[in-house]
Amino acid sequence: MSLRVPHSRTDPLKSLLRMERFPHIWCPGCGIGVVVKCFVEAALQSGIPVEKHVVVSGIGCTSRAPGYIKVDGFHVIHGRAIPFAIGLKTARPDLEVTVIAGDGDLLAIGGNHFLHATRRNDDINVILVNNFIYGMTGGQYGPTTLEGALTTTSPYGFVEGAFNVPYLASALGANFVARWTPLHTKELTNTMLEMFKVDGFAIIEVVSPCLIYGELNNMPPLDMMKWLKDNTIIDHNADLSKIDVNFKKPLVLGNFVRRYRPSHQTRLKELVKKVVGGG
Amino acid sequence: MSERVSLLRAEEALLKPGVYFMQGNIAAAEAALVAGCRFFAGYPITPSNEIAEHMSRRLPQVGGYFIQFEDEIASVIAISGAAYAGVKSMTATSGPGFSLMQEGIGMAAMIEAPIVIINVQRGGPSTGLPTLVGQGDVMQAKWGSHGDYEIVAYLPSSVQEMFDLTIQAFNTAWTYRVPVIVLPDQRVGQMIEKLSVPDYNEIPIAGRIAPEEPPEEFLPFNSKYLVPPMAFAGEGYRFHVTSLTHDERGYPSTSHKISTQLVTRLIRKIRDNEKAIGRYESVLTDDANLVVVAYGITARSALKAVKEARKEGLKVGLFRPVTAWPFPYWGLKEAVDRGADIVVVEINMGQMVRVIREHFANIVNIHSMTWAPGDVPRPHDILVKIKEVYEG
């Protein structure tokens, strides 16, 4: 199958893509490529010089995203994208640092860093692609796997609960919390543009179809896309405690939280000013 | 405040040249500031806490940043990030924290991030003896992370060396783009003694080698260099870095040719420069029939034992490795050629002795004096061993 994309739309995006690395590694139907496209569009529209954009990731399908984006990019070890991003941002505050990573990377092995970066309000952007599973390693359950789901390590059904990511991030104090899907490209791109403006911890959860999850759970990517099309509600003022992902009820999307707590890095700069200023 | 003013203030805020009475851990922290360290990330652990505490007070005074992270894993990763943003960075820890850092140290070796880690060794294994001395991390410093890579590790033996070798650690890290470990033991870290700070124009400070190519020609891991020039994030090179096996462009590769090229270079950049990096001190070894090998606090006890032995007419000398890695084996060669016996004394169950056996087994007799962590062998204890071997 050949895809035709109007020329005027591809060219500007290509300037921020590592075209020599295509075709990418993602499965047909996967939502991660859409996230990359939205990020590239948002980065180009952001008004922030491209050399100031930095992307950081850990390990997993989503973490391959920086490998296709032509800005300074760091694909580091499993679970550690957030502390690496904090090191970059603290050392060089003029960088616009975005972590792009998956649910297992950020919320399981990297969960402690997620918890504390949100609490400290570190000035980084996080795009969390939630596909409910460890796709790259073959389909094991993760911290956002839905109860009852079949995975290669829950062959009788998953008996744990899943994180409700926006509720969690909001409770931890994030300055910006949103949720979209790869079907909502315009909203997702615009939300990324909002996220770049935030001084502090900002997170967008992208609920994404996954071939591996879909094959195991009778919901192939196209079916899930259709489900997302028919069963999503946009409610920016939703009660976050009630918006867990559950295919038995509509999925609530929106830009839920916008706070103005000064970021950790802003406060560190103020601290230096105070100490040096005081002699 | 302009950057320029803050830099001038920073210079003024460094420790003034002169003579001090100072703790080893604090001397290391002050040395880091002199070396240009402006970011510290760490997690509380005994007996290294004085370094973090001192950095939390001092870094803001020189325009730098201190973050106490949620764990040692985040700490060692964050300093690699800061280094790639162009800021000299370090962390400090002890045994359990050093174990947690190992994957991050391997990552720094792989992505060639210049970082400094001070591991003030306590007694182990596991939680072990938090407040007491050990030298059981010598092998871990070299082999702690998975896969093949090289690091550099220094073995300070005094407060003066905590200062001097911490500066050297930064210089080596930035010259070779390699994680460098300063490996004192608890006694050297927490002892208080004289420190002489020289004029700063007498202290060489190394920085990165910057790329000369324009961004479109720049290869972040160009194999024509043993140590590729380093671009920082935000400079316009728009480079990619991965801790996966990668080609010269920084892109992941599963090719055996690329793997061979990368791993060989990571190892060669240290091994080919082992004599430039490796350091040792020899005392009274010229005519010695027996050479005691000891490092850190143990070397100071051993020196006293050697002097006592000399008083009794025994031809005994001391060889003190100042770098654990690369191990300065060439410094022992002359004594070995003369057929001197070797006695290795260390506060562990026999670690460094393995390296000496690797180089000189079957040439001379190599004896191991092991000592469980928790205390330092007294000069008398070492003298008894010297006599046993010398007269045996």
Side-chain angles (χ1 to χ4, degrees), chain A residues 182-208:
Chain A
L183 269 191
H184 299 77
T185 53
K186 201 163 182 67
E187 292 88 343
L188 184 54
T189 305
N190 286 336
T191 300
M192 287 181 189
L193 282 166
E194 281 306 301
M195 175 179 73
F196 293 146
K197 295 179 195 152
V198 175
D199 175 40
F201 194 89
I203 176 165
I204 306 171
E205 179 190 22
V206 183
V207 176
S208 170

Side-chain angles (χ1 to χ4, degrees), chain A residues 4-14:
Chain A
R4 282 177 182 256
V5 185
H7 222 73
S8 57
R9 277 181 59 77
T10 48
D11 280 348
L13 296 190
K14 276 184 179 171

Side-chain angles (χ1 to χ4, degrees), chain A residues 183-249:
Chain A
L183 269 191
H184 299 77
T185 53
K186 201 163 182 67
E187 292 88 343
L188 184 54
T189 305
N190 286 336
T191 300
M192 287 181 189
L193 282 166
E194 281 306 301
M195 175 179 73
F196 293 146
K197 295 179 195 152
V198 175
D199 175 40
F201 194 89
I203 176 165
I204 306 171
E205 179 190 22
V206 183
V207 176
S208 170
C210 170
L211 185 72
I212 308 281
Y213 187 84
E215 281 188 342
L216 288 161
N217 289 284
N218 203 22
M219 202 177 204
L222 275 179
D223 289 6
M224 179 154 169
M225 284 289 191
K226 186 162 183 343
W227 188 90
L228 289 173
K229 186 167 175 287
D230 298 337
N231 295 280
T232 47
I233 297 169
I234 296 171
D235 179 5
H236 302 303
N237 301 309
D239 176 353
L240 299 187
S241 69
K242 299 194 168 71
I243 66 157
D244 53 306
V245 180
N246 182 338
F247 293 123
K248 292 180 188 110
K249 64 178 186 185

